[in-house]
Amino acid sequence: MTAAIDLAEVERRFLRHVWFPVARSEDLTDTVLPGRLLGVDLVVYRHEGTAVVAAGRCPHRGVAMWLGRTVAHGIECPYHGWVFAPKTGECVAVPSLPEGGAIGHIQLATYPVTEAYGHVWTSLAEPYLPLPELTIEPDAGWAFSHGVPHDLRCGMRQLTENFRDIAHFPFVHSGSMGPNVRRVVDPYRVTRQGWSLEWEMTTDLGGTALDGAAALANRIRLIHGVALPMAATVRTRFPDGGRRFLAQFATPLDEDGERVRLFWTLGIDRIVREVHGVDMDRMWEYEQQIFEEDYPIVENQLPVEAPLDLHTQQHTAADRYSIVYRKAYVELLHRFHADAGAP
């Protein structure tokens, strides 16, 4: 029997060891951006082509570093001009000191960083899991777009479960999909490999989605995936050819887990664009509308975060993915606790 642990406390520690996106790569040109992760203010910038994530407050007087600018040797604080190196965060210049004056050991904390799926990712501590590996079929003439980040008053797991739920389509998404979406969810089986889940299902959008685009608005095949804890994907295959890829990432902004920043990536292949006549702009508008219809739902659920105790809510066969997801997440937290030990 697995020993009882304080799951909430273990999760707080665990999430500091998880890769999360904190900015879109396309926004990171000459701009210095603010970021936030688990209650920690961050600054995100690019130096000589490489993304950097560092503490968001200057160690001198606590001013917001995202008000500063990039310079030859790193990032410059907007208040007193202190400059911090990009890799180590070491303070390399204090203009108020005479030339040759000793700076001492002053650092701006820096964090691991990588770029993937159109976003800049970081972790507050040594990552416990690898970066999520998303399945995208090759050689399809993909075009990709990355949605504008959006902040929500809900939990990371709440948002992740919502993204995978097709039983709510006829009720929440009648505006975007139309009134004829099939209500019945066929039985499906969730498979698991490590800390990743996948399941396949079909549904019928009723012929009115995407302005009634015949090849895209009726029966579709959905291949869902979740890389724990929060990287959720759906790969859509249309019966007359064509594929769509959609990924959602939920970054917890505060340590209490009650606010998240939604990041997302959309891809459509050449057949969708050239044969079925739905270009990226049209598909982007459609997906954005779907997300916006979900916002008032996920912001008005209680509890704010999806409970890990399965006995506190009711479930049906349509919720099988949610049950497997919560069980796997609890198992992951126990594994982390065993590997990491007491704080």
Side-chain angles (χ1 to χ4, degrees):
M1 177 179 292
T2 304
I5 61 174
D6 183 343
L7 286 177
E9 176 57 33
V10 173
E11 184 178 28
R12 278 191 288 271
R13 291 192 288 128
F14 166 71
L15 293 178
R16 294 181 61 85
H17 295 265
V18 171
W19 286 106
F20 287 104
V22 290
R24 292 192 301 183
S25 292
E26 65 191 73
D27 295 329
L28 210 61
T29 53
D30 295 330
T31 305
V32 177
L33 299 176
R36 187 172 174 84
L37 176 57
L38 297 167
V40 177
D41 288 328
L42 303 171
V43 62
V44 188
Y45 66 98
R46 196 177 295 282
H47 183 265
E48 296 181 349
T50 301
V52 180
V53 178
R57 299 285 172 174
C58 180
H60 179 215
R61 290 295 181 267
V63 76
M65 290 297 295
W66 56 88
L67 297 175
R69 60 172 184 157
T70 57
V71 293
H73 299 294
I75 186 169
E76 181 184 84
C77 175
Y79 196 8
H80 298 95
W82 290 23
V83 177
F84 300 90
K87 291 184 179 180
T88 64
E90 179 185 1
C91 183
V92 294
V94 176
S96 59
L97 292 178
E99 186 175 351
I103 295 176
H105 184 67
I106 301 171
Q107 282 187 304
L108 182 72
T110 58
Y111 299 97
V113 62
T114 190
E115 291 189 70
Y117 317 121
H119 294 88
V120 179
W121 298 65
T122 195
S123 176
L124 296 182
E126 181 68 25
Y128 179 70
L129 299 175
L131 193 75
E133 188 172 327
L134 309 185
T135 301
I136 305 175
E137 294 91 340
D139 304 324
W142 289 104
F144 287 97
S145 180
H146 310 289
V148 177
H150 185 81
D151 293 356
L152 292 160
R153 297 184 308 276
C154 72
M156 172 194 74
R157 289 180 270 109
Q158 198 86 284
L159 187 62
T160 303
E161 288 195 11
N162 166 269
F163 185 66
R164 302 277 48 81
D165 183 348
I166 74 167
H168 77 277
F169 284 7
F171 309 99
V172 178
H173 300 305
S174 60
S176 56
M177 297 180 185
N180 301 320
V181 179
R182 186 176 185 226
R183 295 188 175 198
V184 174
V185 177
D186 292 331
Y188 62 95
R189 176 173 171 267
V190 181
T191 61
R192 175 178 166 186
Q193 185 172 1
W195 304 114
S196 294
L197 311 175
E198 185 172 289
W199 62 101
E200 188 173 323
M201 55 177 57
T202 60
T203 192
D204 195 319
L205 299 184
T208 53
L210 287 163
D211 301 322
L216 310 181
N218 292 293
R219 187 172 177 81
I220 58 175
R221 179 182 172 200
L222 304 170
I223 304 170
H224 297 281
V226 174
L228 270 64
M230 58 77 214
T233 62
V234 61
R235 289 145 39 218
T236 307
R237 295 181 180 176
F238 301 103
D240 294 335
R243 287 174 285 187
R244 174 180 59 189
F245 172 86
L246 188 61
Q248 174 190 274
F249 313 114
T251 295
L253 296 177
D254 301 324
E255 195 173 18
D256 64 13
E258 296 194 355
R259 285 198 311 142
V260 297
R261 182 160 295 157
L262 166 67
F263 295 92
W264 56 285
T265 291
L266 168 67
I268 54 175
D269 72 0
R270 185 182 294 111
I271 293 176
V272 171
R273 302 192 311 275
E274 298 178 4
V275 177
H276 301 318
V278 175
D279 62 16
M280 177 57 77
D281 288 343
R282 178 67 189 94
M283 188 65 80
W284 192 94
E285 290 173 0
Y286 173 66
E287 296 295 350
Q288 179 68 38
Q289 183 181 358
I290 290 173
F291 277 118
E292 289 174 354
E293 289 167 347
D294 279 320
Y295 295 164
I297 297 297
V298 296
E299 289 194 315
N300 287 282
Q301 290 180 259
L302 289 178
V304 174
E305 183 59 289
L308 293 176
D309 182 352
L310 292 173
H311 297 94
T312 63
Q313 293 182 323
Q314 301 299 311
H315 313 280
T316 72
D319 303 312
R320 180 173 299 278
Y321 78 96
S322 179
I323 295 169
V324 176
Y325 169 64
R326 296 184 192 187
K327 286 182 176 179
Y329 192 71
V330 169
E331 183 182 335
L332 175 56
L333 292 178
H334 277 277
R335 180 71 60 84
F336 170 78
H337 177 71
D339 290 345

